[in-house]
């Protein structure tokens, strides 16, 4: 069996092993494949019966050109890179990797928040530049510092990641409120479900944990921002398209939003003209909330398990129905 990994670098830049796949057949790993050059995608799939993709798109035209293909494994939770209808029509199973990074993303959400309220990076740089050594006082601070105790954290979405974030917030003695598109009972009596309007009005910190859909795209725009407290902090470790980035940048520069911590943006890699790059107090990381070694090892093992199940005639983490 020929197995092709179309874009393996993001998952495994060299610190993991593809050995788990080699027991199933001959494995060819490409670090990157063009997202736009369909002929390159087709040529690299070649005669492979199994392909694994992270962000390389697989559409009807590509599937038509590789009739021997029997399995598509997506190396991520989101599987919109694959034309599901076209795969289902050919009875090609498409699998994904669900719930592999819940704790890592929750941890990173708080890493962004703690950087905003404690300003560790700014002060570390200051000390290394000699400012403490030359200070007249035993202490100083370059930017305002903030205590989280008693602050209201508003979670937009209340799935597994948001619930993990809520537990961390509770440990910091924060008040937790949440909105979910379908009512969802909290398992803890310290988390309160509210309307989206109430969340905007009462939250000191708003953290996004919903998928990007037609309804949620640019949900944090001018109208929503106007309903928020002045000085609110926005966190986004979900999808960049949830923010109207121009509106958020404007609100940051005007002080309506105190700070934003984002691990995702609307176009990735980030465009040079993204307005968040020049916005005040905006902390940006390159989509790494999921990227701890332990999390990527877990993702790799689930991908292997999915393929092993397929070869045994079973469905595991299949996202499309059998035709």
């Amino acid at each position: 069996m020929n197995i092709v990994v179309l874009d393996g670098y993001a998952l495994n830049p060299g610190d993991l092993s593809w050995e788990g796949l080699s027991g199933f057949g001959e494995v060819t790993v490409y670090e990157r494949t063009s997202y736009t050059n369909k002929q390159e995608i087709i040529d690299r799939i070649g005669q492979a019966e199994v392909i694994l993709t992270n962000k390389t798109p697989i559409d009807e035209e590509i599937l038509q050109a590789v009739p021997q293909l029997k399995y598509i494994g997506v190396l991520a939770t989101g599987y919109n890179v694959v034309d599901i209808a076209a795969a289902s029509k050919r009875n090609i199973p498409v699998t994904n990797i669900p719930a592999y990074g819940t704790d890592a993303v929750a941890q990173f959400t708080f890493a962004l928040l703690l950087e905003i309220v404690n300003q560790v990076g700014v002060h570390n740089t200051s000390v290394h530049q000699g400012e403490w050594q030359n200070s007249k006082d035993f202490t100083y601070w370059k930017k305002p510092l903030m205590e989280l105790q008693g602050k209201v954290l508003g979670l937009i979405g209340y799935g597994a990641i948001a619930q993990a974030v809520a537990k961390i917030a509770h440990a910091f003695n924060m008040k937790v409120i949440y909105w979910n598109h379908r009512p969802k009972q909290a398992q803890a009596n310290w988390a309160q479900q509210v309307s989206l309007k109430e969340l905007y009005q009462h939250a000191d910190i708003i953290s996004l944990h919903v998928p990007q859909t037609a309804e949620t795209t640019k949900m944090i725009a001018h109208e929503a921002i106007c309903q928020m407290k002045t000085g609110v902090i926005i966190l986004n470790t979900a999808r960049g398209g949830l923010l109207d980035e121009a509106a958020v940048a404007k609100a940051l520069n005007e002080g309506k939003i105190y700070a934003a911590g984002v691990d995702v943006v609307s176009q990735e890699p980030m465009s040079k003209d993204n307005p968040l790059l020049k916005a005040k107090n905006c902390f940006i990381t390159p989509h790494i909330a999921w990227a701890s070694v332990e999390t990527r090892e877990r993702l790799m093992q689930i991908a292997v398990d999915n393929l092993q199940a397929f070869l045994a005639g079973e469905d595991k983490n299949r996202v499309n129905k059998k035709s």
Side-chain angles (χ1 to χ4, degrees):
M1 173 172 287
N2 291 323
I3 302 167
V4 169
V5 182
L6 289 169
D7 49 1
Y9 185 83
L11 171 59
N12 179 16
D15 56 350
L16 302 181
S17 170
W18 297 103
E19 187 177 338
L21 296 173
S22 61
F24 305 128
E26 183 178 341
V27 181
T28 302
V29 179
Y30 296 100
E31 289 191 344
R32 301 172 184 87
T33 295
S34 171
Y35 298 166
T36 57
N37 187 334
K38 291 188 180 183
Q39 191 57 53
E40 179 177 286
I41 298 171
I42 291 167
D43 290 344
R44 288 189 169 185
I45 293 173
Q47 295 302 308
E49 297 153 287
V50 170
I51 62 170
L52 301 179
T53 179
N54 193 327
K55 295 292 184 289
T56 304
I58 306 297
D59 63 11
E60 168 75 38
E61 182 181 344
I62 291 169
L63 290 176
Q64 190 172 356
V66 289
Q68 80 292 339
L69 190 64
K70 294 182 173 62
Y71 175 92
I72 301 171
V74 180
L75 297 170
T77 302
Y79 48 87
N80 57 309
V81 296
V82 178
D83 184 332
I84 295 298
S88 297
K89 182 172 68 175
R90 294 167 172 80
N91 203 26
I92 299 173
V94 180
T95 63
N96 75 334
I97 316 290
Y100 68 92
T102 297
D103 292 327
V105 177
Q107 173 183 309
F108 199 87
T109 299
F110 258 83
L112 288 171
L113 179 57
L114 291 171
E115 178 59 31
I116 289 169
V117 300
N118 289 330
Q119 299 287 334
V120 171
V122 166
H123 291 95
N124 174 62
T125 299
S126 168
V127 170
H128 281 87
Q129 289 177 343
E131 290 190 57
W132 199 10
Q133 297 91 315
N134 296 318
S135 175
K136 294 179 181 179
D137 303 299
F138 79 95
T139 184
Y140 66 92
W141 46 93
K142 305 285 291 183
K143 288 192 175 184
L145 307 179
M146 184 186 303
E147 188 176 88
L148 290 177
Q149 188 275 136
K151 298 292 190 296
V152 178
L153 174 66
L155 298 165
I156 296 181
Y158 204 60
I161 294 173
Q163 290 175 43
V165 171
K167 290 178 182 178
I168 300 172
H170 182 62
F172 276 94
N173 290 321
M174 299 176 72
K175 298 177 182 177
V176 178
I177 60 176
Y178 68 93
W179 170 85
N180 200 63
H181 70 290
R182 288 193 298 267
K184 179 178 285 189
Q185 186 64 42
Q187 296 179 337
N189 58 13
W190 42 260
Q192 179 186 359
Q193 186 166 204
V194 297
S195 69
L196 193 55
K197 182 178 180 180
E198 289 175 306
L199 187 145
Y200 289 152
Q201 290 174 340
H202 297 295
D204 299 301
I205 298 132
I206 294 175
S207 189
L208 292 126
H209 301 283
V210 289
Q212 185 177 342
T213 64
E215 292 73 26
T216 61
T217 296
K218 293 189 176 182
M219 67 181 300
I220 305 301
H222 176 72
E223 182 179 352
I225 293 168
C226 286
Q227 298 177 60
M228 298 176 190
K229 287 183 176 182
T230 297
V232 67
I233 294 171
I234 304 288
L235 306 172
N236 187 13
T237 52
R239 289 292 180 266
L242 302 177
L243 304 185
D244 181 332
E245 290 167 337
V248 170
K250 184 173 185 292
L252 282 163
N253 290 331
E254 293 175 349
K256 174 66 177 180
I257 298 175
Y258 171 67
V262 300
D263 185 51
V264 287
V265 292
S266 58
Q267 179 184 325
E268 296 175 352
M270 192 177 197
S271 63
K272 295 178 181 179
D273 60 352
N274 189 303
L276 294 178
L277 283 171
K278 295 183 179 179
K280 295 179 182 177
N281 226 16
C282 189
F283 297 75
I284 307 170
T285 50
H287 204 144
I288 56 172
W290 69 284
S292 66
V293 172
E294 297 87 350
T295 305
R296 290 184 290 111
E297 286 175 341
R298 189 178 306 118
L299 191 161
M300 180 80 80
Q301 186 57 55
I302 296 172
V304 171
D305 292 345
N306 286 348
L307 179 55
Q308 185 174 37
F310 163 72
L311 295 175
E314 304 168 1
D315 285 333
K316 184 172 184 179
N317 296 320
R318 180 169 177 164
V319 297
N320 61 336
K321 295 179 180 180
K322 294 180 179 180
S323 64

